Amino acid sequence: MNLSSILVYTSSKHLEDLQSSLCALPGIEVHHQCHDTGRLIVIQEAVDEKTEMDGLRRIKDLPHVMAAEMFYHYVDDGNTLPAESQNGEVLSWA
Amino acid sequence: MGITRRTFIKASMATATAAAVGLPVSQAALAAAKTMENDWRWDRGVCRFCGVGCGIQIATKDGKIVATKADPDAPVNRGINCIKGYFNGKILYGKDRLTKPLLRMKDGKFSKQGDFVEVSWERAFDEMEKQFRKAYSELGPTGIGIFGSGQYTIQEGYAAMKLMKAGFRSNNIDPNARHCMASAVAGFIQTFGIDEPAGNYDDIEHTDTAILWGANMAEMHPILWTRIVDRRSKHPNMRIVNLSTYSNMSSDMADLEIIFRPSSDLAIQNFIAREIIKRDAVNWDFVKKHCVFATGPYDIGYGMRNNSDFAFKKEMDTQAEQRMHTLDKFEAIGQRRKPGTKVPQDAQAKPGAHWLIEFEEFKKGVEPYTLDFVAELAKGDADESLDQFKAKLQELADLYVDAQRKVVSFWTMGFNQHQRGTWVNEQAYMNHLLLGKQAMPGNGAFSLTGQPSACGTAREVGTFSHRLPADMVVFNPKHRKTSEDIWHLPKNTLNPKTGSHITKIMRDLEDGSIKWAWVQVNNPFQATANANHWIKAARKMDNFIITSDGYPSISAKVSDLILPSAMIFEKWGGYGNAERRTQLWREQVPPPGEARSDVWQILEFSKRIKLKDVWGEQKVPGLKAAGFTDGKMPNVLNGARKMGYKSDDTLYDVLFAHERNKKFAWPDPIANGHDNHTVDLLGDGWFVEKALFEEYAQFGRGHAHDLADFNLYFHKDVRGLKWPVVNGK
């Protein structure tokens, strides 16, 4: 299982729009946002590395994204989690 | 249950991220996030993927990496990772990791035509030794080679370089960093006499202008790009210029995008120099105090072989250029000749020759590079009008020349992997020096690096065919003496003749003048231009090639012996980044199967070769022709005996496991519970990576390359240290 936290930079005036676009993407949850600095923290879940890379690129390609970089990667500590989840939440289009 | 845990992990990761980048989070959330990490061991490391040198943190549990994150306290990346950093943990766990030595065999014996068969390390080293002796006795020190790397840890590069130069008396060790940084290095040495940038990343927060010359930083150096974007958002006067041969992601944030024809950046630089002079903007105080004007030959060829003996049929037209180049109309203007003139490339043997000139001659040299000429030559976007392009060039010159404006020029491979890479590096310095905008906060020409330790290992340790540590060179008798003294070698052990650079090692395999080669921490049979030549040489010629790798790369597959290697956090190591920052790490997890560190491989192999095998008289072709008194290297065994060595001592005894190094005992409290498989396998209780680091540091201390004590890099408040480190700072 692949989990990453991603820090997304935008401008304050586009924060809400971008948050809606992010929430509409499969495998993405928006966890924190800061209006003053135009930053959002999202968690992305993907089935494999390639999907996760493509997933980051798709965020970078959204309108109003100034930068999006990964921060924290969870590899799997052996307590294997089921790879699928409810409502197609996991990013697995690849 | 799974979903609950997943939700919990996600929330914890988000909280940890928020806290690290300064977003508000509650104490309760923070405490909950910590619970997830209860039985994890966190330690610091450095990203292994590029020259930026981002600090990361690594969590391990039961001998496996379970999580990685950017280090919020790392001054380079300040808590952010790019897409490359993502792979630091994952790279260790690919399905096709190599875990056993593999030797090509037929009927139970080594055969170049055989298939790979799993063998023991003992069997692998037996064959390596046998083939080494065969090549060395036939061809001497020039008959062997090592393909080194800009991804070597400092200790790996140092051990490999010392074994080759001090042990085997061969200078045929050269890194893949030659491909990416040779022109950067030559530009530094020719301009400053020292091989490293004067600036550092903090210049980003002090500058008003970032000018990118062939560096797509948005995609290739995203962390530094984040800092540039951040500076632009906070500093209204900040301008970003992206010069490129095609439109790329860095243009998205640029105030000015200049698309130019390949190689015409040289002309643009000359245009800027001409504008500086024309606008009377030369900073004469600075120039008179710090600079001289110099020039060199232009008929230097293209670095190819100077004969067509090995050129494939379809390469003949390119090969012919090496000897004779026909000028096009633009070159003719620059060289003040007629178009179509055939210019013999007479200076190809000494392309770095240079001589002093007066300012007036310099001024005359750049005079042809008018706006009209350069715009016509350099315009790279067919959809742009000449007038639009001219306006852009003017604006570029305005930004450089403006006395109130600080400027940093950045470049990477757009300059370095260039037909005239050394020249264009030198031109960048030329313009910054003319303006006096160099070596001060926010001002400077900054050569970015591609590989994680191209600076720290390849260049600073000197794993090049012409180098010794700390910017010293093999052809300088004083430098050899300094090295022989530090290494406790008899006089004249070191080979004074520059060895084969990485492309020449390939050519030597092709023409049979190298018959034993070891690939370490790189993939030259994929990454070297004209790979069709080299793969053929590896497979068809009489030679023995060893590749140490974590995965079955192209180089591994064309080799005769594959040695399974420990990867980044499976060993102790250190890297030096593009701003002279040295960062060390501990072994985090054990290597899989029988994979072992490169340091172990180098030292273990050195146990098999004795002084009497290599320190007798050695013939070195071309020694006399290169200006040395004798055509061969002397027998130094008598000198060795006087120093207390025995001719039956191994290179391991003399070069590595000597008393001075054995003072560094393992275990050492600095390990803080971490293992060291290299030390365990060698089995004689000295802390190899610490000893090698401290021995290497002797070369630079007191010579402006000062490294700190090994232990200081592991201090809880230290996130790497930029050299020179003086009094711990």
Side-chain angles (χ1 to χ4, degrees):
Chain A
M1 187 199 52
N2 297 278
L3 293 175
S4 291
S5 68
I6 299 168
L7 181 62
V8 184
Y9 291 80
T10 184
S11 56
S12 300
K13 63 177 175 190
H14 292 123
L15 190 89
E16 276 74 30
D17 284 351
L18 181 58
Q19 184 168 352
S20 314
S21 327
L22 285 167
C23 287
L25 296 174
I28 292 287
E29 290 172 14
V30 177
H31 279 254
H32 298 270
Q33 55 278 319
C34 177
H35 190 269
D36 292 349
T37 56
R39 290 182 297 175
L40 301 116
I41 291 168
V42 307
I43 301 289
Q44 174 172 272
E45 177 170 0
V47 287
D48 58 23
E49 285 87 353
K50 166 129 188 8
T51 319
E52 203 165 10
M53 295 292 101
D54 292 343
L56 177 62
R57 289 193 190 100
R58 126 197 106 139
I59 294 173
K60 290 188 173 194
D61 286 344
L62 288 175
H64 313 306
V65 171
M66 287 165 70
E69 297 302 346
M70 289 176 153
F71 182 88
Y72 195 140
H73 313 292
Y74 176 79
V75 182
D76 197 349
D77 67 355
N79 297 316
T80 310
L81 303 180
E84 79 290 346
S85 98
Q86 306 141 319
N87 310 326
E89 168 195 75
V90 179
L91 187 57
S92 61
W93 73 76
Chain B
M1 181 68 187
I3 298 302
T4 313
R5 184 170 158 72
R6 170 186 277 110
T7 309
F8 172 64
I9 292 173
K10 285 181 176 176
S12 300
M13 288 173 68
T15 305
T17 308
V21 301
L23 295 192
V25 283
S26 73
Q27 285 305 314
L30 216 49
K34 284 235 155 62
T35 329
M36 174 178 82
E37 305 175 353
N38 250 348
D39 53 353
W40 296 359
R41 178 180 71 183
W42 283 102
D43 198 25
R44 298 200 310 263
V46 55
C47 177
R48 64 96 55 238
F49 289 106
C50 89
V52 172
C54 295
I56 62 168
Q57 298 201 345
I58 304 149
T60 49
K61 186 187 166 189
D62 303 331
K64 277 199 83 173
I65 293 179
V66 289
T68 58
K69 64 183 177 189
D71 186 343
D73 297 321
V76 172
N77 52 313
R78 304 165 183 188
I80 307 174
N81 256 180
C82 79
I83 204 157
K84 290 174 274 186
Y86 164 80
F87 282 101
N88 278 299
K90 314 228 174 209
I91 194 71
L92 308 182
Y93 301 115
K95 290 193 188 87
D96 50 348
R97 269 302 292 272
L98 296 167
T99 57
K100 285 235 178 210
L102 299 166
L103 179 65
R104 285 188 185 274
M105 292 178 74
K106 210 186 245 172
D107 306 326
K109 279 193 203 146
F110 164 67
S111 162
K112 209 157 167 81
Q113 284 71 46
D115 295 325
F116 283 116
V117 175
E118 286 184 0
V119 294
S120 67
W121 276 100
E122 193 67 22
R123 175 72 186 88
F125 280 138
D126 284 349
E127 195 64 41
M128 240 173 112
E129 180 190 339
K130 184 179 155 194
Q131 299 288 341
F132 173 86
R133 290 180 185 280
K134 198 174 129 201
Y136 203 84
S137 64
E138 184 192 337
L139 298 164
T142 54
I144 57 167
I146 288 183
F147 292 98
S149 174
Q151 291 156 65
Y152 267 147
T153 67
I154 290 165
Q155 293 92 338
E156 286 164 358
Y158 183 71
M161 191 267 297
K162 191 176 183 189
L163 178 63
M164 275 299 268
K165 302 208 168 187
F168 302 156
R169 306 173 82 186
S170 173
N171 289 325
N172 290 353
I173 175 169
D174 212 54
N176 60 350
R178 173 80 66 175
H179 294 315
C180 54
M181 300 308 286
S183 33
V185 172
F188 271 122
I189 293 286
Q190 292 243 26
T191 310
F192 302 104
I194 184 169
D195 174 27
E196 213 76 22
N200 62 55
Y201 302 155
D202 295 347
D203 285 320
I204 294 170
E205 283 81 26
H206 288 92
T207 196
D208 309 307
T209 329
I211 301 183
L212 278 49
W213 291 87
N216 180 8
M217 289 177 76
E219 287 182 274
M220 298 305 147
H221 294 89
I223 298 305
L224 296 181
W225 187 244
T226 310
R227 287 174 62 170
I228 288 176
V229 169
D230 199 46
R231 171 71 176 164
R232 189 170 175 279
S233 70
K234 290 175 181 155
H235 183 60
N237 200 31
M238 178 76 173
R239 295 289 177 271
I240 301 174
V241 184
N242 186 30
L243 287 113
S244 177
T245 52
Y246 61 96
S247 194
N248 58 37
M249 201 171 141
S250 299
S251 294
D252 295 352
M253 279 288 144
D255 300 280
L256 178 63
E257 181 198 55
I258 298 178
I259 304 296
F260 61 90
R261 265 197 354 178
S263 286
S264 68
D265 42 359
L266 294 149
I268 298 175
Q269 294 272 20
N270 278 347
F271 160 71
I272 294 166
R274 188 179 179 278
E275 286 292 300
I276 294 168
I277 295 167
K278 198 180 101 188
R279 302 183 193 190
D280 198 19
V282 177
N283 182 336
W284 282 112
D285 285 348
F286 185 94
V287 168
K288 281 182 180 154
K289 223 192 242 168
H290 303 295
C291 308
V292 292
F293 290 89
T295 192
Y298 50 80
D299 47 349
I300 61 173
Y302 298 90
M304 294 182 284
R305 283 185 188 270
N306 61 7
N307 62 67
S308 53
D309 299 354
F310 294 90
F312 296 154
K313 226 178 206 163
K314 61 182 173 191
E315 296 169 339
M316 286 300 188
D317 55 338
T318 313
Q319 178 63 50
E321 287 282 307
Q322 178 65 19
R323 282 162 298 187
M324 187 78 82
H325 177 69
T326 306
L327 300 184
D328 68 19
K329 66 169 178 171
F330 297 114
E331 289 167 322
I333 293 173
Q335 294 187 18
R336 297 156 184 79
R337 291 162 186 263
K338 289 203 170 67
T341 307
K342 291 187 184 316
V343 180
Q345 300 297 293
D346 287 339
Q348 57 180 280
K350 290 210 179 288
H354 52 279
W355 53 89
L356 296 185
I357 54 172
E358 296 299 322
F359 170 70
E360 285 307 319
E361 292 172 81
F362 174 77
K363 187 177 164 184
K364 223 169 96 187
V366 297
E367 183 50 38
Y369 295 86
T370 61
L371 181 62
D372 287 344
F373 169 52
V374 174
E376 194 197 340
L377 163 63
K379 190 172 82 72
D381 178 358
D383 295 333
E384 191 168 59
S385 76
L386 200 59
D387 284 342
Q388 277 173 321
F389 189 69
K390 279 185 188 175
K392 285 182 171 182
L393 291 182
Q394 285 285 13
E395 197 181 336
L396 176 69
D398 293 346
L399 291 170
Y400 269 104
V401 168
D402 182 353
Q404 303 306 312
R405 175 170 283 282
K406 293 182 195 155
V407 180
V408 181
S409 303
F410 291 101
W411 66 91
T412 331
M413 295 310 131
F415 268 10
N416 297 349
Q417 299 188 342
H418 197 297
Q419 282 186 350
R420 292 292 177 258
T422 304
W423 292 4
V424 78
N425 269 267
E426 289 167 353
Q427 283 181 303
Y429 301 126
M430 165 183 84
N431 286 330
H432 277 267
L433 291 170
L434 281 172
L435 293 161
K437 296 187 180 186
Q438 175 68 17
M440 54 188 75
N443 266 329
F446 198 115
S447 162
L448 298 168
T449 315
Q451 295 191 80
S453 206
C455 289
T457 304
R459 291 157 65 177
E460 291 163 23
V461 172
T463 66
F464 284 86
S465 60
H466 64 299
R467 281 173 94 152
L468 291 162
D471 285 354
M472 295 194 292
V473 287
V474 296
F475 46 83
N476 182 321
K478 274 191 206 148
H479 293 178
R480 289 198 304 277
K481 182 174 186 315
T482 303
S483 305
E484 285 167 351
D485 288 348
I486 292 176
W487 283 341
H488 293 240
L489 303 177
K491 193 167 181 281
N492 295 325
T493 305
L494 293 176
N495 182 341
K497 182 165 181 293
T498 298
S500 295
H501 54 72
I502 192 162
T503 307
K504 185 152 189 304
I505 294 177
M506 289 294 192
R507 290 174 186 165
D508 292 349
L509 287 169
E510 188 177 43
D511 62 24
S513 53
I514 284 183
K515 294 195 172 179
W516 185 93
W518 190 351
V519 175
Q520 297 174 341
V521 208
N522 78 120
N523 187 7
F525 288 93
Q526 178 154 19
T528 307
N530 296 334
N532 49 350
H533 280 262
W534 324 131
I535 289 173
K536 187 177 163 203
R539 297 308 312 138
K540 301 286 182 210
M541 294 295 291
D542 168 29
N543 54 38
F544 188 78
I545 297 170
I546 309 114
T547 292
S548 298
D549 207 330
Y551 285 97
S553 60
I554 298 288
S555 298
K557 288 174 186 170
V558 305
S559 297
D560 302 298
L561 174 64
I562 304 173
L563 300 177
S565 302
M567 294 181 72
I568 180 88
F569 300 118
E570 296 164 352
K571 59 193 179 188
W572 287 71
Y575 279 161
N577 78 354
E579 60 164 359
R580 291 171 276 110
R581 185 182 298 277
T582 310
Q583 307 189 73
L584 308 186
W585 67 86
R586 300 180 175 97
E587 183 172 313
Q588 303 294 333
V589 290
E594 291 180 33
R596 289 168 186 184
S597 74
D598 289 80
V599 167
W600 178 81
Q601 295 174 28
I602 293 160
L603 267 56
E604 193 63 30
F605 186 67
S606 75
K607 289 179 179 174
R608 290 170 171 258
I609 308 297
K610 294 180 172 165
L611 291 189
K612 65 181 179 194
D613 300 327
V614 284
W615 283 11
E617 188 178 285
Q618 299 292 351
K619 54 178 187 216
V620 173
L623 208 53
K624 215 166 179 175
F628 301 102
T629 46
D630 208 346
K632 49 191 183 292
M633 277 166 30
N635 182 328
V636 292
L637 287 166
N638 271 336
R641 265 188 290 275
K642 280 184 208 147
M643 296 176 77
Y645 300 129
K646 297 186 291 294
S647 58
D648 274 332
D649 285 346
T650 69
L651 292 179
Y652 178 72
D653 302 326
V654 173
L655 303 182
F656 301 113
H658 48 68
E659 289 313 309
R660 303 177 303 285
N661 277 348
K662 283 188 158 172
K663 279 193 320 216
F664 297 98
W666 178 270
D668 181 317
I670 207 77
N672 198 21
H674 288 249
D675 293 330
N676 189 327
H677 81 277
T678 302
V679 169
D680 291 346
L681 288 166
L682 286 170
D684 45 3
W686 58 289
F687 190 171
V688 177
E689 293 85 354
K690 184 172 181 173
L692 292 178
F693 183 87
E694 288 294 340
E695 186 184 285
Y696 157 58
Q698 290 176 44
F699 282 88
R701 288 184 182 142
H703 303 280
H705 291 77
D706 306 63
L707 294 167
D709 291 339
F710 183 83
N711 284 4
L712 187 58
Y713 295 97
F714 294 95
H715 188 279
K716 68 178 173 52
D717 298 330
V718 167
R719 296 294 186 276
L721 292 163
K722 283 179 278 191
W723 58 260
V725 181
V726 181
N727 297 328
K729 290 182 178 165

Short mmCIF file of all heavy atoms in Angstrom, two decimals, chain B residues 252-271:
data_model
loop_
_atom_site.label_atom_id
_atom_site.label_comp_id
_atom_site.label_asym_id
_atom_site.label_seq_id
_atom_site.Cartn_x
_atom_site.Cartn_y
_atom_site.Cartn_z
N ASP B 252 6.50 28.40 -16.88
CA ASP B 252 5.21 28.75 -16.28
C ASP B 252 5.34 29.88 -15.27
O ASP B 252 4.45 30.70 -15.12
CB ASP B 252 4.59 27.53 -15.58
CG ASP B 252 4.25 26.42 -16.57
OD1 ASP B 252 4.35 26.68 -17.79
OD2 ASP B 252 3.89 25.32 -16.13
N MET B 253 6.44 29.89 -14.54
CA MET B 253 6.64 30.90 -13.49
C MET B 253 7.55 32.03 -13.96
O MET B 253 7.81 32.97 -13.22
CB MET B 253 7.30 30.24 -12.28
CG MET B 253 6.34 29.49 -11.39
SD MET B 253 5.31 30.65 -10.49
CE MET B 253 3.79 29.75 -10.45
N ALA B 254 8.07 31.92 -15.19
CA ALA B 254 9.08 32.88 -15.63
C ALA B 254 8.44 34.18 -16.09
O ALA B 254 7.37 34.19 -16.68
CB ALA B 254 9.92 32.27 -16.75
N ASP B 255 9.14 35.30 -15.82
CA ASP B 255 8.70 36.59 -16.34
C ASP B 255 9.13 36.76 -17.78
O ASP B 255 8.56 37.54 -18.53
CB ASP B 255 9.32 37.71 -15.49
CG ASP B 255 8.90 37.59 -14.04
OD1 ASP B 255 7.79 38.00 -13.72
OD2 ASP B 255 9.68 37.02 -13.25
N LEU B 256 10.20 36.04 -18.13
CA LEU B 256 10.75 36.15 -19.48
C LEU B 256 11.19 34.77 -19.92
O LEU B 256 11.96 34.10 -19.22
CB LEU B 256 11.95 37.12 -19.44
CG LEU B 256 12.72 37.37 -20.73
CD1 LEU B 256 11.83 38.00 -21.79
CD2 LEU B 256 13.92 38.28 -20.44
N GLU B 257 10.67 34.35 -21.08
CA GLU B 257 11.09 33.06 -21.64
C GLU B 257 11.83 33.32 -22.94
O GLU B 257 11.30 34.00 -23.82
CB GLU B 257 9.87 32.17 -21.91
CG GLU B 257 10.25 30.80 -22.47
CD GLU B 257 9.08 30.08 -23.14
OE1 GLU B 257 8.45 30.66 -24.05
OE2 GLU B 257 8.79 28.94 -22.75
N ILE B 258 13.03 32.79 -23.05
CA ILE B 258 13.82 32.98 -24.28
C ILE B 258 14.11 31.62 -24.88
O ILE B 258 14.84 30.81 -24.30
CB ILE B 258 15.13 33.74 -23.98
CG1 ILE B 258 14.81 35.14 -23.44
CG2 ILE B 258 16.00 33.82 -25.23
CD1 ILE B 258 16.02 35.97 -23.07
N ILE B 259 13.50 31.36 -26.03
CA ILE B 259 13.73 30.08 -26.72
C ILE B 259 14.80 30.31 -27.79
O ILE B 259 14.62 31.13 -28.69
CB ILE B 259 12.43 29.57 -27.38
CG1 ILE B 259 11.31 29.45 -26.35
CG2 ILE B 259 12.68 28.24 -28.08
CD1 ILE B 259 11.55 28.43 -25.25
N PHE B 260 15.93 29.59 -27.62
CA PHE B 260 17.05 29.83 -28.55
C PHE B 260 17.43 28.54 -29.29
O PHE B 260 17.10 27.44 -28.85
CB PHE B 260 18.25 30.41 -27.80
CG PHE B 260 18.82 29.51 -26.73
CD1 PHE B 260 19.81 28.58 -27.01
CD2 PHE B 260 18.35 29.60 -25.42
CE1 PHE B 260 20.33 27.76 -26.02
CE2 PHE B 260 18.86 28.78 -24.42
CZ PHE B 260 19.85 27.85 -24.73
N ARG B 261 18.13 28.72 -30.39
CA ARG B 261 18.61 27.58 -31.16
C ARG B 261 19.71 26.86 -30.39
O ARG B 261 20.55 27.52 -29.78
CB ARG B 261 19.19 28.07 -32.49
CG ARG B 261 18.20 28.01 -33.61
CD ARG B 261 18.82 28.10 -34.96
NE ARG B 261 20.26 28.34 -35.01
CZ ARG B 261 20.94 28.40 -36.13
NH1 ARG B 261 20.33 28.22 -37.28
NH2 ARG B 261 22.24 28.63 -36.14
N PRO B 262 19.77 25.52 -30.43
CA PRO B 262 20.82 24.80 -29.71
C PRO B 262 22.21 25.38 -30.00
O PRO B 262 22.51 25.71 -31.15
CB PRO B 262 20.70 23.38 -30.25
CG PRO B 262 19.25 23.24 -30.61
CD PRO B 262 18.82 24.60 -31.09
N SER B 263 22.98 25.54 -28.94
CA SER B 263 24.36 26.03 -28.98
C SER B 263 24.50 27.54 -29.19
O SER B 263 25.60 28.06 -29.11
CB SER B 263 25.21 25.31 -30.04
OG SER B 263 25.51 24.01 -29.58
N SER B 264 23.41 28.24 -29.45
CA SER B 264 23.55 29.68 -29.66
C SER B 264 23.62 30.44 -28.34
O SER B 264 23.78 31.66 -28.33
CB SER B 264 22.40 30.21 -30.53
OG SER B 264 21.18 30.13 -29.82
N ASP B 265 23.53 29.72 -27.21
CA ASP B 265 23.70 30.39 -25.92
C ASP B 265 25.09 31.03 -25.81
O ASP B 265 25.26 32.04 -25.13
CB ASP B 265 23.44 29.43 -24.74
CG ASP B 265 24.03 28.06 -24.94
OD1 ASP B 265 24.65 27.80 -25.99
OD2 ASP B 265 23.89 27.21 -24.02
N LEU B 266 26.07 30.45 -26.51
CA LEU B 266 27.41 31.06 -26.52
C LEU B 266 27.35 32.47 -27.09
O LEU B 266 27.98 33.40 -26.58
CB LEU B 266 28.36 30.20 -27.37
CG LEU B 266 28.70 28.80 -26.85
CD1 LEU B 266 28.95 27.86 -28.00
CD2 LEU B 266 29.89 28.85 -25.93
N ALA B 267 26.60 32.60 -28.17
CA ALA B 267 26.48 33.91 -28.82
C ALA B 267 25.72 34.88 -27.93
O ALA B 267 26.06 36.07 -27.84
CB ALA B 267 25.79 33.76 -30.17
N ILE B 268 24.69 34.38 -27.24
CA ILE B 268 23.92 35.25 -26.34
C ILE B 268 24.81 35.77 -25.21
O ILE B 268 24.75 36.94 -24.84
CB ILE B 268 22.67 34.51 -25.79
CG1 ILE B 268 21.75 34.11 -26.96
CG2 ILE B 268 21.92 35.38 -24.79
CD1 ILE B 268 20.54 33.26 -26.53
N GLN B 269 25.65 34.88 -24.68
CA GLN B 269 26.58 35.31 -23.62
C GLN B 269 27.53 36.40 -24.15
O GLN B 269 27.80 37.38 -23.46
CB GLN B 269 27.40 34.12 -23.11
CG GLN B 269 26.59 33.05 -22.41
CD GLN B 269 26.42 33.31 -20.92
OE1 GLN B 269 26.58 34.44 -20.44
NE2 GLN B 269 26.06 32.28 -20.19
N ASN B 270 28.02 36.19 -25.36
CA ASN B 270 28.91 37.21 -25.94
C ASN B 270 28.17 38.52 -26.17
O ASN B 270 28.73 39.61 -25.99
CB ASN B 270 29.53 36.71 -27.25
CG ASN B 270 30.74 35.82 -27.01
OD1 ASN B 270 31.27 35.78 -25.90
ND2 ASN B 270 31.19 35.12 -28.04
N PHE B 271 26.91 38.41 -26.55
CA PHE B 271 26.10 39.63 -26.72
C PHE B 271 25.99 40.38 -25.39
O PHE B 271 26.13 41.62 -25.35
CB PHE B 271 24.70 39.24 -27.24
CG PHE B 271 23.65 40.27 -27.01
CD1 PHE B 271 23.65 41.47 -27.75
CD2 PHE B 271 22.65 40.08 -26.06
CE1 PHE B 271 22.67 42.44 -27.53
CE2 PHE B 271 21.67 41.05 -25.84
CZ PHE B 271 21.69 42.23 -26.57
#
